[in-house]
Amino acid sequence: GEFYMARKPKVSEPPPLQIKDFTQSEIQSGIAKLQLRIEEVRKLQSDKVHYEDQRIETANSNIRFAILEIFGEHSPEFRDFESRHSNMGWVRAVGCQDWEYQQDFEKDIPQTTSFLGGLIDRLNEKKPI
């Protein structure tokens, strides 16, 4: 009989990365938005927020929206956020104690603020000389 090759289903490639060109005013407003997000995250720390507090989820979604709005859905910045920084303190291992979750969340705060600070640096670099 005939022998048919089984076709491999096509794996959908993620759309190519897009590097955005910024106007001077987009750079300024982007920096301002990211600074607000940094302040919001620092406030979680200064208020000694509990790891299950709703404000953490709110801060996370505010950060996500800001990066999406500033850099765009297919930007390296947004992909980097989605793959590495999108769950501040949310990793829940089974059998961990309350204080361990709290400690993990508190450790995530400086990582999140330095990531956001890096995005501000990136915008600053795009300013015309």
Side-chain angles (χ1 to χ4, degrees):
E2 295 287 319
F3 176 73
Y4 290 102
M5 286 287 291
R7 278 175 183 264
K8 267 193 182 160
K10 273 205 171 140
V11 178
S12 64
E13 288 284 302
L17 286 174
Q18 292 166 358
I19 309 288
K20 187 172 164 182
D21 285 326
F22 288 89
T23 64
Q24 188 64 28
S25 69
E26 283 174 331
I27 290 171
Q28 295 303 113
S29 94
I31 290 170
K33 281 174 190 162
L34 292 169
Q35 280 167 337
L36 283 174
R37 302 289 63 92
I38 289 175
E39 283 164 31
E40 186 179 18
V41 172
R42 289 203 174 123
K43 191 155 171 41
L44 296 175
Q45 190 170 30
S46 63
D47 288 356
K48 303 204 178 330
V49 164
H50 186 264
Y51 71 89
E52 286 180 317
D53 195 298
Q54 179 59 40
R55 280 180 288 176
I56 298 169
E57 203 168 328
T58 304
N60 258 325
S61 84
N62 288 346
I63 291 168
R64 184 179 189 275
F65 185 71
I67 296 171
L68 187 59
E69 201 179 28
I70 297 162
F71 294 98
E73 188 184 359
H74 303 303
S75 64
E77 293 82 1
F78 186 66
R79 282 205 196 155
D80 194 25
F81 172 74
E82 290 285 83
S83 64
R84 294 194 302 166
H85 296 277
S86 60
N87 60 346
M88 191 175 20
W90 285 3
V91 184
R92 299 279 181 267
V94 179
C96 276
Q97 302 297 310
D98 225 36
W99 63 269
E100 290 174 288
Y101 288 141
Q102 189 65 25
Q103 202 176 42
D104 283 349
F105 160 60
E106 286 167 12
K107 263 199 307 221
D108 274 353
I109 287 178
Q111 287 176 357
T112 304
T113 54
S114 73
F115 173 70
L116 292 168
L119 295 181
I120 289 175
D121 292 343
R122 204 168 287 186
L123 286 173
N124 274 318
E125 282 167 18
K126 291 176 187 287
K127 285 181 180 172
I129 295 162

